[in-house]
Amino acid sequence: GWAHRAVRALDRPEPALARRLKARLADYGEVASLIGRQPPTLVHNDLAPKNVVADTGHDPPRICFVDWETAGFGCSGLDLVHLLHGLAPAAEDRLIDVYASEAGDLLAGRERRSRLLRACRAHKTVFRLAHPALWLHRRAVARAWLDELERDLSML
């Protein structure tokens, strides 16, 4: 559903981008299927740095997630890709390794995990594109997101 909403959101202000996205929707079923096959777990659904509080007065530091009104059950990779957004590659790799070490079977196997995270990134990108308030006044952002989406889909 988010993919079709994204096409509609792009269609009027950016018809060329809408056509590009629509052309990629053939690959999107694999994204939805891969995410949908994951064992459901508690997910925050807005796990951005703004919703993470770190108390470094403890050893090890105490990490708390706040602002849970969009929580639900789903694929743990969706929260992880939200946390990864904007990190440098080395920091991203470290966070993925630490997160996966605590997630047990949810993110087991490096190749499987990489594929799942690409699918989750693609889904997050489609979700952002479906919300024009996030990009309408910065259309270059929508173009960059579509470039990212195409890269992630091509690597699935």
Side-chain angles (χ1 to χ4, degrees):
W2 287 119
H4 296 294
R5 289 179 197 174
V7 170
R8 284 193 306 271
L10 284 166
D11 196 37
R12 178 169 264 181
E14 292 287 340
L17 292 183
R19 285 190 298 275
R20 272 179 65 193
L21 178 58
K22 195 171 185 175
R24 294 311 305 235
L25 289 182
D27 301 329
Y28 199 73
E30 187 176 350
V31 167
S33 178
L34 182 57
I35 292 170
R37 287 193 313 265
Q38 302 310 303
T41 189
L42 178 65
V43 289
H44 186 280
N45 280 323
D46 190 19
L47 199 52
K50 67 180 180 180
N51 290 326
V52 179
V53 177
D55 181 354
T56 58
H58 291 85
D59 188 23
R62 185 169 179 227
I63 308 297
C64 300
F65 302 143
V66 298
D67 196 13
W68 286 87
E69 78 265 4
T70 59
F73 286 94
C75 174
S76 64
L78 294 169
D79 273 351
L80 180 54
V81 298
H82 210 91
L83 273 176
L84 295 172
H85 186 73
L87 290 180
E92 186 176 293
D93 290 343
R94 186 168 190 280
L95 181 56
I96 290 169
D97 289 342
V98 169
Y99 194 98
S101 73
E102 296 297 321
D105 290 343
L106 291 176
L107 292 172
R110 188 169 295 277
E111 185 176 323
R112 185 174 154 263
R113 179 172 52 240
S114 291
R115 190 165 181 265
L116 174 62
L117 293 179
R118 281 192 296 276
C120 289
R121 279 188 182 102
H123 178 71
K124 286 286 187 178
T125 301
V126 166
F127 179 84
R128 288 186 200 114
L129 288 169
H131 291 84
L134 298 174
W135 57 262
L136 191 57
H137 299 294
R138 300 173 302 143
R139 294 187 184 175
V141 169
R143 286 185 206 93
W145 287 345
L146 191 51
D147 292 343
E148 288 175 21
L149 176 66
E150 287 175 332
R151 251 188 330 271
D152 285 331
L153 291 175
S154 71
M155 295 170 61
L156 281 179

